[in-house]
Amino acid sequence: KQWYQRRVAITAGTLRVRCLSAVPAPQIDSESGVAGVPEHVLSLADQICGLSLHETGQLTKVLKERLGIGEIALAGPAAAAAPAAETEAEPEPVVEEKTSFDVRLLGIDSSMKIKLIKALKETIPDLNLVAAKKMVESAPCMLREKIPKAEAEALKAKLTEFGGDVALE
C-alpha cells in the first residue's frame, strides 16, 4: 500500500494541492533547476489543453467534487481577506423600491371605448378629446412616463374601471 496525505493551500486566489506519498520526489535538474516532467503528466496536460470551454467547466466541477474544494474567489488582493469574509454573515441585498412608473395602455374593451376616452381626458389634463381618442385607438401605447407610484396606481385603477388594460412599468 502507498501512504499519502493531501494538503490543500489557497494563496492569493490560486489553488495548490500537494500530495505527500511514499513515492520519491522527482530529481531536480541542476542546470535548469526544474524537475523532469513524467511523460504521463505531459500527456494529461496536452489532453486538458485540447478541451473545449464547456468540457473545461465540467472537468473543474468534477475535480472540485472529488477533491472537496469549495468555491474559490479569484480576486487578487481580495483573496487574502476571503477567510475573514467567510466567517461573517453576508447581508441581504437591499432591493430599492421603484418610485417612478410608466403607465402603458395595452388594450381596451371596445364596448366601453367612449367611457375610457372620457376617463383618460379627465385624468390627463393636457389631453383634449381628439388626442384622448387617438391615444385609446392606438393602443398599445405609453400614456404617462415617470410619474409617482400613487398617481400611477390611481390612473391604472380609473382606466381599468372603464375597460382599459393598463400596465405599470
Side-chain angles (χ1 to χ4, degrees):
K1 287 185 178 180
Q2 286 186 342
W3 172 86
Y4 69 92
Q5 178 183 6
R6 188 181 311 152
R7 283 192 186 160
V8 178
I10 301 172
T11 54
T14 60
L15 171 70
R16 289 184 290 156
V17 177
R18 269 181 51 194
C19 292
L20 303 175
S21 69
V23 178
Q27 297 298 320
I28 296 178
D29 185 10
S30 60
E31 293 175 11
S32 65
V34 178
V37 180
E39 187 63 34
H40 71 279
V41 174
L42 292 174
S43 172
L44 183 61
D46 290 337
Q47 288 175 352
I48 291 173
C49 289
L51 294 176
S52 69
L53 186 59
H54 178 69
E55 292 169 331
T56 305
Q58 290 174 332
L59 175 64
T60 304
K61 189 182 298 183
V62 168
L63 288 175
K64 283 181 179 181
E65 287 174 6
R66 288 190 183 175
L67 296 175
I69 301 171
E71 291 297 317
I72 299 172
L74 295 178
E86 289 176 5
T87 60
E88 299 176 14
E90 291 185 23
E92 292 285 326
V94 178
V95 179
E96 294 182 21
E97 188 175 331
K98 279 183 81 173
T99 56
S100 63
F101 290 88
D102 297 338
V103 180
R104 179 179 281 282
L105 179 65
L106 301 175
I108 62 168
D109 180 6
S110 58
S111 65
M112 299 183 75
K113 181 177 172 181
I114 295 173
K115 290 181 182 178
L116 183 63
I117 292 171
K118 288 181 181 179
L120 188 61
K121 183 184 174 297
E122 290 172 4
T123 56
I124 303 176
D126 298 339
L127 289 180
N128 60 25
L129 193 59
V130 175
K133 181 179 183 238
K134 285 182 182 179
M135 201 172 264
V136 167
E137 289 175 345
S138 66
C141 64
M142 186 67 66
L143 296 177
R144 303 273 315 262
E145 293 181 347
K146 296 182 175 64
I147 61 173
K149 183 178 181 179
E151 189 178 336
E153 288 176 346
L155 180 61
K156 179 181 178 180
K158 183 156 187 166
L159 296 179
T160 303
E161 178 185 340
F162 290 107
D165 184 14
V166 181
L168 299 180
E169 299 173 348

